[in-house]
Every structure is written in structure tokens, then in C-alpha cells.
Amino acid sequence: QVQLVESGGGLVQAGGSSRLSCTASGSIFSINAMGWYRQAPGKQRELVAAITSGGMTNYSDSVKGRFTISRDNAKNTVYLQMNSLKPEDTAVYYCTAGFGLLLPQQVISWGRGTQVTVSS
């Protein structure tokens, strides 16, 4: 079992920045990728960004150039720096852990989610 604890989020003005953090504990040996999904009201959950233990990253086209994912392996923590936020970035953001590219079938643990609201 891998437990994920998220922090960050909240209300941000359009064009602003915010940072999410997520720390993993438990069976860390079973994962080699961490990342973030998000789900907006009335929409399907989508992968935002993922990063492997080796530092390879993958981003959704909608956030490329604005969001940066990073991780501190020593702290088992992953970060999502979100810049130039848009109202359409409003969603619940879920920290995830698993393997590969963190496709839905590759996710083995989900955080509880943290709300990010971008006001126009």
C-alpha cells in the first residue's frame, strides 16, 4: 500500500501561480512514477503530469509550458508548479503513484484530492 498526502491548492487569480506537493509513504518500492491527475466538474479525470524516478516527465498538452513537475526522491515527494493559471485549470487535483506513464491502469494509489480554483 502506498499512501499519498497532498498539500497546496486553493483560490488563485488568473495569471497567477500555485504549487502542489504530495508525499508518499508505505510501499514506496512498488512505484517508479508519481504524478497528478485532475477532474473538473462535468469532465473526465485527466492526466496532467507525471515523472519517473529517473526524472523523465510527461505533460498534458493543455499544461505544457505552464506547469512543471518535479520530485525529491529522498523525500518521496512530488511537486507541481503551476504558472499562468487559467480558469479552465479549475479542478480537483489528485496525486497519483504507480509505474510507467501513469496511465489510469498503471496507477496503484490515489490521493484524496485538493481543490484548485482559478478566478477570472
Side-chain angles (χ1 to χ4, degrees), residues 12-26:
V12 185
Q13 285 193 333
S17 299
S18 185
R19 191 175 84 153
L20 306 180
S21 301
C22 173
T23 299
S25 62

Side-chain angles (χ1 to χ4, degrees), residues 45-120:
R45 197 171 289 188
E46 64 169 346
L47 176 63
V48 176
I51 186 168
T52 68
S53 56
M56 293 182 61
T57 58
N58 180 42
Y59 294 94
S60 164
D61 287 343
S62 62
V63 306
K64 279 181 181 176
R66 300 188 298 121
F67 290 13
T68 301
I69 190 169
S70 61
R71 66 187 290 171
D72 184 334
N73 289 333
K75 296 180 179 179
N76 297 319
T77 298
V78 64
Y79 307 95
L80 185 67
Q81 178 66 43
M82 303 181 291
N83 299 328
S84 302
L85 283 161
K86 304 175 181 180
E88 51 264 42
D89 294 318
T90 296
V92 177
Y93 284 71
Y94 297 91
C95 180
T96 58
F99 54 93
L101 297 176
L102 274 186
L103 300 177
Q105 62 269 30
Q106 296 173 316
V107 175
I108 63 172
S109 185
W110 294 82
R112 296 180 64 180
T114 185
Q115 177 71 44
V116 174
T117 302
V118 184
S119 63
S120 57

